[in-house]
Structures are given as C-alpha cells and as structure tokens.
Amino acid sequence: MNKSIDGTLYFEKSALSLYASQDSQAFVNMSKGISHTKLNLDETYSYWGETLLQKQEYSKAIVKLKRALIINPENFSACTNLGLCLYQLQENEAALPYLQKAKLLRPDDYKPCCNLANCLLKLNRSEQAVVEYKQDTKFGAKNFNVYNNLAETL
C-alpha cells in the first residue's frame, strides 16, 4: 500500500476513534496520519470541528474551528461551520462575519448563502435576508429551502 493511501486510512481510523472517544491521543494519531496525506493542519482542525458540530457539541467545535482559521483564515469549511455553530447557539451577531466570509470565499455555494440569510432573519434584518434569499434562488433546485424561507419572509 502506498504512503498516501496508508496515511489516508490511518487518518480515517483516527478520525473515527476521535469521533467515538474525543480523546487527545486520537487527535495526535490523526495529526501523524496527516504527514502521509495532503491534508494541512488547518484542514485537520476544521474536520475535527465539523465532527463535533455533527455531534451538536457546538462550544467544543468552535474552539477547533477557530484554531483552523488562525492557521488559515481562508478555510471555507471552517468559516461555514463556525458560523453555523454560533448560529445554533443563537449567537447570530457573532456568526454573521463568518457566514459573510464563507459566502465571499465561495459565492457559488448555496450553503453559506442560505445560512447567511437565515442568520440575518434571526437578527430581525428581514430586508437584508430577503435580498440574500433572492440571490440564493440562482441555485435553483439545489436548495428548495431557499424558496420556502423567502416565501415565509415575504
């Protein structure tokens, strides 16, 4: 087995271990596996944060995602997921800059666009939310929720 595949399997095994136990040794093992793969340290923290987000452990996820952004402020996944964590904790004002940055990094991705519109709506900025929802309709059938949210906002 070549090093890249071996490292990827090592990374995936450690990530699963991390998901199951959340111990620091799993992260150390995961980081060691990175040397054999193309993932960077910021991607490792971002992946770890996303795993915690999926487990609805938002406060822990925020710590990891912020570390990813310290290493690479242009990490799209970290911006998106950090904004979503803050949104889930109803810290909408704090979520806004991360969601805006994610939208700037990937303007053709519907997820940050829709999340940004939802956040604006929670902040009672319905006029801005409508503008965002209308822009989001360019994604068409990719995100039916945009049309539903827009209809509810109007």
Side-chain angles (χ1 to χ4, degrees), residues 66-79:
K66 283 185 176 181
R67 285 183 185 167
L69 290 173
I70 288 170
I71 297 165
N72 179 7
E74 305 297 308
N75 185 313
F76 169 78
S77 293
C79 285

Side-chain angles (χ1 to χ4, degrees), residues 39-134:
L39 285 176
N40 297 320
L41 189 55
D42 68 300
E43 292 170 327
T44 303
Y45 277 113
S46 182
Y47 182 80
W48 194 359
E50 184 174 350
T51 302
L52 292 166
L53 168 62
Q54 291 170 356
K55 292 176 70 175
Q56 298 180 354
E57 296 183 23
Y58 305 120
S59 296
K60 290 178 182 178
I62 287 169
V63 172
K64 304 309 174 201
L65 295 165
K66 283 185 176 181
R67 285 183 185 167
L69 290 173
I70 288 170
I71 297 165
N72 179 7
E74 305 297 308
N75 185 313
F76 169 78
S77 293
C79 285
T80 301
N81 290 326
L82 182 52
L84 188 54
C85 284
L86 292 164
Y87 176 83
Q88 292 296 333
L89 292 172
Q90 299 180 3
E91 296 180 27
N92 298 307
E93 197 67 50
L96 203 55
Y98 297 106
L99 297 172
Q100 289 169 330
K101 174 100 181 215
K103 184 179 175 185
L104 286 174
L105 290 171
R106 288 202 194 153
D108 293 332
D109 190 318
Y110 73 89
K111 291 176 188 174
C113 296
C114 187
N115 290 339
L116 176 59
N118 292 342
C119 188
L120 288 166
L121 191 58
K122 290 283 186 180
L123 289 168
N124 295 318
R125 299 182 192 174
S126 56
E127 288 180 14
Q128 289 176 295
V130 167
V131 169
E132 291 297 328
Y133 285 133
K134 285 182 178 178

